[in-house]
C-alpha cells in the first residue's frame, strides 16, 4: 500500500502545482496582455512629428504583440486635453499616451494643470529626440538664417512666424527673442497646419519639427534655413544650426516618449518597455530615424522619471528669460 499512497500523494502535489501556476497566470495582468486593441493617444493633430513617431511605434507594437495599437489623435489646448484623458483613464494598459517636449513645457510653466505632469503617469520610456527646422516660404527673398535675421531686425512686425503650441511655441519665441527679431508669432493647433499656411503663402516663416518639414523641403514648397539642435542633423547636413547662424547659445530639441495612467500594473509597463528597447535597436528603426532627422535615445522608466523634472526646470527658465507669457 505504501507505494500506492506515495504515488497518490505525488499526484496531488502535481495537481496542486498546476492549479497554483494557472491561478498565478490568471492573476498576472501582463500574461495575456494585450488581449484586445490598445489606444495610443497623440495630443496633436495628424501630420506632425508626434503623429509620425507614434505611428511608427504603434505599427511595430501591433506586429510584435498581435493586437492593434491604434493612434488616436486628440488635439486641443496645446496637448493638455489628450494628456488629461490618459491621466484619468483606467490603468489597465489599454490607454497609452505619446508625449513630447510639450509635456515638460506645460509641467514647468503652467501653474494649473488637471493632472500632475510627473506623478499622474506610469512611464514606459523615451524613444528619441530631434531638432526643429526654421523654414520660409520660397517667395521670401532670404537665402540663409543670417539673411532672415537681418531682414527681421530691419522690419519688426512685418514677418509672421507660424508654429504649434507647447515646445514649438517656446522654441519659436526664444529664437525670436535671442535673435533680436520681432516677428508676429501665430500658434496653431498642430505643427502640420502651421507649416501648411507657410507653404500656402499666408505666412512667411515656420518653426516646426524637421521630421515633418523634410518632405516639403525636397519638393521646394518651403526653403529650410537652419535647424535648432546643438549639431547639424544627419538628415540635412547642409543646414547650419541656428547657433551657427549667429544666435549664440540657442538650442531646442523635441523628444518623444510613452506613458500610461499611474497605477498601470508593473508587468504591463515592463512588457512595453522591453518592446521599446528592442524597437530602438533594430537596424530598420535606426535607418528610418536617421532619414527623418531623429536620434534614438532610449530612457527606461526610472531614467525618464528622473529626466522630466530637469526638463521642466529648463523650460521654466526659458520662459523667464524670453518673457514668454503662459495662460
Amino acid at each position: 500500500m505504501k507505494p500506492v499512497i506515495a504515488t497518490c500523494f505525488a499526484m496531488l502535489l502535481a495537481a496542486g502545482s498546476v492549479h497554483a501556476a494557472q491561478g498565478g497566470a490568471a492573476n498576472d495582468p501582463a500574461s495575456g496582455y494585450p488581449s484586445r486593441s490598445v489606444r495610443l493617444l497623440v495630443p496633436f493633430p495628424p501630420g506632425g512629428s508626434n503623429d509620425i513617431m507614434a505611428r511608427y511605434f504603434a505599427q511595430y507594437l501591433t506586429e510584435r504583440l498581435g493586437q492593434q495599437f491604434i493612434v488616436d489623435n486628440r488635439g486641443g489646448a496645446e496637448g493638455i486635453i489628450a494628456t488629461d484623458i490618459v491621466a484619468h483613464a483606467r490603468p489597465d494598459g489599454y490607454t497609452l499616451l505619446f508625449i513630447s517636449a510639450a509635456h515638460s513645457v506645460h509641467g514647468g510653466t503652467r501653474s494649473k494643470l488637471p493632472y500632475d505632469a510627473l506623478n499622474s503617469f506610469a512611464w514606459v520610456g523615451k524613444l528619441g529626440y530631434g531638432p526643429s527646422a526654421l523654414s520660409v516660404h520660397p517667395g521670401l527673398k532670404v537665402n540663409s538664417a543670417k539673411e532672415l535675421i537681418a531682414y527681421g531686425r530691419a522690419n519688426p512686425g512685418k514677418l509672421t512666424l507660424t508654429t504649434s503650441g507647447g515646445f514649438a511655441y517656446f522654441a519659436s519665441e526664444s529664437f525670436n527673442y535671442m535673435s533680436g527679431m520681432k516677428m508676429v508669432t501665430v500658434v496653431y493647433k498642430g505643427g502640420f497646419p502651421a507649416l501648411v499656411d507657410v507653404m500656402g503663402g499666408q505666412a512667411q516663416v515656420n518653426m516646426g519639427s524637421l521630421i515633418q518639414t523634410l518632405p516639403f523641403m525636397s519638393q521646394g514648397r518651403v526653403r529650410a534655413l537652419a535647424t535648432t539642435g546643438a549639431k547639424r542633423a544627419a538628415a540635412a547636413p547642409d543646414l547650419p544650426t541656428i547657433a551657427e547662424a549667429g544666435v549664440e547659445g540657442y538650442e531646442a530639441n523635441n523628444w518623444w516618449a510613452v506613458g500610461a495612467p499611474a497605477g498601470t500594473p508593473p508587468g504591463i509597463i515592463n512588457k512595453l518597455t522591453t518592446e521599446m528597447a528592442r524597437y530602438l535597436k533594430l537596424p530598420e528603426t535606426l535607418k528610418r530615424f536617421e532619414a527623418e532627422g531623429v536620434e534614438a535615445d532610449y530612457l527606461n522608466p526610472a531614467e525618464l522619471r528622473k529626466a522630466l523634472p530637469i526638463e521642466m526646470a529648463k523650460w521654466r527658465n526659458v520662459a523667464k528669460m524670453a518673457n514668454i507669457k503662459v495662460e
Side-chain angles (χ1 to χ4, degrees), residues 8-324:
C8 290
F9 184 64
M11 290 174 64
L12 286 170
L13 282 176
S17 297
V18 170
H19 180 75
Q22 290 174 339
N27 292 327
D28 178 11
S31 64
Y33 175 83
S35 61
R36 52 186 171 86
S37 61
V38 179
R39 284 194 309 157
L40 178 58
L41 266 71
V42 174
F44 296 97
S49 64
N50 298 276
D51 179 63
I52 294 168
M53 291 292 289
R55 290 183 188 278
Y56 289 161
F57 190 45
Q59 179 184 0
Y60 165 83
L61 290 174
T62 296
E63 293 170 356
R64 279 285 295 174
L65 298 181
Q67 294 288 343
Q68 286 289 322
F69 279 72
I70 300 167
V71 172
D72 185 353
N73 296 91
R74 295 289 187 97
E78 299 182 5
I80 293 173
I81 290 175
T83 306
D84 185 39
I85 290 172
V86 177
H88 294 95
R90 180 177 295 180
D92 56 7
Y94 290 93
T95 304
L96 305 177
L97 176 68
F98 197 87
I99 68 164
S100 61
H103 186 85
S104 57
V105 168
H106 296 321
T109 62
R110 291 180 179 263
S111 58
K112 292 182 180 180
L113 287 171
Y115 51 83
D116 184 307
L118 182 64
N119 297 313
S120 291
F121 305 93
W123 298 110
V124 172
K126 177 186 173 186
L127 288 156
Y129 67 89
S132 291
L134 175 67
S135 59
V136 298
H137 184 271
L140 187 65
K141 303 302 181 184
V142 298
N143 294 303
S144 68
K146 287 184 178 180
E147 289 183 12
L148 175 67
I149 291 169
Y151 181 88
R153 287 173 176 170
N155 297 275
K158 289 189 177 181
L159 291 176
T160 299
L161 170 64
T162 69
T163 189
S164 57
F167 159 77
Y169 171 65
F170 271 64
S172 300
E173 285 296 79
S174 57
F175 168 66
N176 215 0
Y177 171 80
M178 293 176 69
S179 66
M181 294 197 288
K182 293 183 180 178
M183 294 184 285
V184 178
T185 304
V186 179
V187 179
Y188 289 68
K189 291 183 178 180
F192 186 64
L195 182 62
V196 165
D197 266 11
V198 171
M199 291 191 290
Q202 286 79 29
Q204 300 84 36
V205 187
N206 176 256
M207 181 78 83
S209 67
L210 180 60
I211 190 173
Q212 78 182 17
T213 309
L214 277 169
F216 305 104
M217 290 164 47
S218 62
Q219 295 170 16
R221 298 180 67 184
V222 292
R223 181 186 300 125
L225 305 179
T227 55
T228 63
K231 60 181 182 179
R232 294 194 180 198
D238 293 337
L239 289 181
T241 66
I242 286 177
E244 285 181 275
V247 186
E248 187 177 347
Y250 182 89
E251 178 190 353
N253 277 313
N254 199 1
W255 51 261
W256 303 276
V258 177
T264 300
I268 290 176
I269 296 297
N270 289 341
K271 180 174 282 191
L272 293 169
T273 296
T274 299
E275 289 300 334
M276 180 181 287
R278 181 182 182 278
Y279 170 69
L280 293 176
K281 290 179 181 177
L282 294 175
E284 55 265 39
T285 299
L286 299 178
K287 185 177 180 180
R288 174 182 276 175
F289 277 17
E290 183 179 358
E292 301 282 14
V294 174
E295 297 272 355
D297 185 30
Y298 173 67
L299 292 183
N300 66 33
E303 291 167 334
L304 180 57
R305 176 171 285 275
K306 192 176 294 184
L308 280 171
I310 297 171
E311 278 282 309
M312 292 177 194
K314 178 182 77 175
W315 292 113
R316 189 158 49 244
N317 291 334
V318 168
K320 291 178 181 177
M321 174 196 73
N323 195 29
I324 300 173

